[in-house]
Amino acid sequence: MHRMVIMNLRAIMDIKYFTEAQVRLLRRTVKDKAVADQSKKNKTGIREWMVIDLITSTGLRVEEVSNLRCGDLKAGYGQCEVFVSRGKGGRSRTVEIPQSLKTHLNQYLKWKKEQQERIGPSNYLFVGQRGPWTAQAIQQLVKKYLKKLGLYERGKSVHALRHSYAVQLYRKKRDLRAVQKQLGHASIQTTQIYADVTKEDIQQQINGLW
């Protein structure tokens, strides 16, 4: 039994992810910045919070986020989805989203319209003064906040948030198929890594052991 736990710990350590507490801290920090920026009529924080909420609530790859168009949001009555037109390997998929993100996306589209930004089906969701936000720009945004919070490590940045989403999603229902579908993995074997015991699970097991 102990040997199995150790083997599982080694497997989960092969992927880099943030704990639930760390992701919550990141989300709270960026959201607070958005609230402050809104009162100053500053647009940056509002866009940053939308990006972070989207990544941490869906597990989308950074390239998928940068490529999103307003028409990819399926957040009308009875809809709670985001359409990824060009995922890894050119595959498309539909990602289910929580109600909280749906509300945020609709608020964001309303805000964009108020800023006189185009929100047509083919218009990019994230646009700055220099044009659509690139994947590199989003990577730098995430890196900035991780460094600010002391969470940044080499090789553990924006993609680790995707892993964090997958780990947390699996821990909730232990449903590998759901994780596979949300992440857009072609093979369940790729998703299997998230079924390994996490550090948090082991902590629960060893606390009060004696």
Side-chain angles (χ1 to χ4, degrees):
M1 181 68 175
H2 294 296
R3 184 181 178 185
M4 184 179 296
V5 169
I6 292 172
M7 289 175 64
N8 284 335
L9 178 58
R10 286 174 180 167
I12 199 67
M13 286 176 69
D14 287 340
I15 64 168
K16 296 181 181 297
Y17 71 99
F18 297 100
T19 65
E20 180 182 357
Q22 290 171 332
V23 174
R24 287 184 181 278
L25 174 62
L26 172 65
R27 286 174 56 84
R28 185 168 65 249
T29 301
V30 184
K31 185 177 183 179
D32 288 347
K33 175 66 162 53
V35 172
D37 275 8
Q38 191 165 24
S39 65
K40 301 173 187 175
K41 306 296 182 183
N42 190 333
K43 301 177 182 179
T44 304
I46 296 171
R47 292 195 180 97
E48 289 180 340
W49 168 227
M50 188 70 262
V51 167
I52 295 298
D53 191 13
L54 189 59
I55 291 175
T56 56
S57 296
T58 63
L60 291 181
R61 299 178 180 90
V62 65
E63 294 84 2
E64 294 170 344
V65 173
S66 66
N67 192 51
L68 279 178
R69 314 300 173 101
C70 295
D72 294 330
L73 310 181
K74 311 302 179 184
Y77 183 76
Q79 295 177 304
C80 277
E81 301 170 340
V82 168
F83 178 68
V84 177
S85 59
R86 287 187 299 171
K88 191 173 182 179
R91 295 186 298 272
S92 63
R93 73 182 188 282
T94 299
V95 178
E96 299 296 320
I97 63 174
Q99 185 66 44
S100 58
L101 179 59
K102 172 183 175 177
T103 300
H104 190 187
L105 285 168
N106 282 327
Q107 291 172 344
Y108 180 73
L109 288 177
K110 181 180 178 182
W111 173 80
K112 278 174 67 70
K113 189 174 182 179
E114 291 170 352
Q115 306 306 310
Q116 297 185 331
E117 292 184 12
R118 295 179 179 178
I119 57 171
S122 62
N123 295 125
Y124 282 96
L125 186 60
F126 298 108
V127 181
Q129 292 182 341
R130 299 179 182 179
W133 280 14
T134 63
Q136 185 178 16
I138 295 174
Q139 288 172 339
Q140 291 303 314
L141 149 67
V142 173
K143 190 175 180 179
K144 175 183 73 173
Y145 279 102
L146 292 177
K147 283 187 172 182
K148 178 180 179 180
L149 297 171
L151 297 176
Y152 178 75
E153 298 175 23
R154 186 177 178 83
K156 186 180 180 182
S157 189
V158 65
H159 199 68
L161 290 177
R162 175 174 164 84
H163 290 315
S164 306
Y165 169 83
V167 168
Q168 194 62 23
L169 180 60
Y170 179 75
R171 290 184 73 205
K172 198 164 186 178
K173 292 291 184 181
R174 309 285 173 176
D175 187 343
L176 268 183
R177 291 294 181 185
V179 179
Q180 179 190 13
K181 190 174 189 309
Q182 288 291 95
L183 295 188
H185 288 162
S187 170
I188 194 69
Q189 300 303 320
T190 307
T191 319
Q192 189 68 40
I193 183 65
Y194 302 112
D196 288 307
V197 179
T198 67
K199 291 176 284 188
E200 292 80 10
D201 291 332
I202 293 174
Q203 280 293 329
Q204 289 181 3
Q205 292 181 39
I206 64 177
N207 281 335
L209 185 63
W210 302 115

